[in-house]
Each structure stands twice: as structure tokens, then as C-alpha cells.
Amino acid sequence: MWELIFSLANKMALISWVALILLPRWDALYRILFYGAVFLLGLTYMTALGGVLTGFIPSDGKIDFSTIAGVRSIFDTDVGVVIGWVHYLCFDLFVGLWIARNADAHGIHRIIQVPVLALTFIFGPVGLVSYIVLRYIMRNGRIEGHLPA
């Protein structure tokens, strides 16, 4: 069961990222990705985590976030890996949506957005920090955000 949830979550995230990067940015696309993919990933996370915390879903150990060994033991189980991975997928996609909307609102060309979104998809915080730095540089007029048509 956990392998199936892991696989479906990965596919949903990948399709969402491809759509975010390649498709026209209509409001409908943002709504589908936010209320569809981000919501479903978040709901999957909440359901699995809630199941483990309440004991409804068996876990192979106690949950301990206070030590490295305790956190490592959480990821020694399939359910722990799925919960952790879905957490990453959900938050990274949410951050990617924010970056795309913010960049669109500030007229940052899509070609400039692609590497930042790819970094966010693959390395999460690296993409977010890259976008923050990019926005800072652009605000101070150091680079032009619009490319010739």
C-alpha cells in the first residue's frame, strides 16, 4: 500500500511541475494545481500522519523528533518515508506555485523562471533562495527581467 501511495504522489507532483513549467499560466491552472495537487498531497500527508499519531496505522517505533536517532527511526519504516516524502512534495509544489505567481506578477520572463522552478522541484529550498536572490537583484536594477520577444 505505501509503495502505491508513494508512486501516485510522485506522479501527481511530476505532472504538476511539468504543467507549472510548460503550460500557459491561466488562473484555472493555478487553481487546479493548488486545490488539486497541493491539497491532495497535503490531505494524504495529514491522513497518514494522523493515522500514525492515533495508532490507527501501525508504526514500527515511537515518534521522536528530539534526536537524530529518533528522526532516523521514523524514516526506517515505509509509512515514515511516505509521510516525509509527501511532506516535501506538497511544500515544494506550494513554494513553486508561489514563485511562479509572484514572478508572473512582477513580469519576470518564463525563461528566467524555468531554472528557478527546476531547482525548487529538485532541491526545494535552493530554488526558493535562488528566487529571493533573483528578485533582490532585479529590484535593484542589476539585471533585466524581460527578454526580447
Side-chain angles (χ1 to χ4, degrees):
M1 172 175 87
W2 296 114
E3 187 67 41
L4 176 62
I5 293 170
F6 182 86
S7 178
L8 290 173
N10 273 335
K11 287 175 184 159
M12 180 186 303
L14 180 60
I15 290 167
S16 298
W17 277 101
V18 168
L20 181 62
I21 291 170
L22 297 179
L23 293 180
R25 300 258 178 80
W26 300 316
D27 281 339
L29 176 65
Y30 285 123
R31 284 194 299 275
I32 289 166
L33 294 178
F34 183 75
Y35 293 109
V38 171
F39 179 79
L40 287 174
L41 289 168
L43 186 61
T44 301
Y45 173 81
M46 283 177 40
T47 302
L49 181 63
V52 168
L53 292 175
T54 61
F56 184 73
I57 296 173
S59 171
D60 290 342
K62 69 177 189 157
I63 296 173
D64 173 15
F65 294 109
S66 65
T67 66
I68 290 174
V71 172
R72 184 182 307 114
S73 72
I74 293 167
F75 293 105
D76 281 341
T77 66
D78 286 351
V79 65
V81 170
V82 169
I83 289 171
W85 189 244
V86 171
H87 179 280
Y88 285 123
L89 294 176
C90 182
F91 265 54
D92 288 354
L93 182 57
F94 178 83
V95 170
L97 283 164
W98 177 81
I99 290 170
R101 285 194 88 143
N102 190 268
D104 287 348
H106 289 88
I108 299 173
H109 197 280
R110 294 282 296 268
I111 291 175
I112 294 173
Q113 292 180 40
V114 169
V116 172
L117 291 171
L119 284 171
T120 306
F121 172 47
I122 299 168
F123 300 115
V126 174
L128 176 60
V129 170
S130 297
Y131 181 67
I132 291 167
V133 169
L134 175 70
R135 279 293 313 280
Y136 176 80
I137 291 169
M138 292 180 77
R139 275 192 178 152
N140 290 307
R142 293 192 177 107
I143 64 172
E144 177 61 43
H146 303 282
L147 297 178

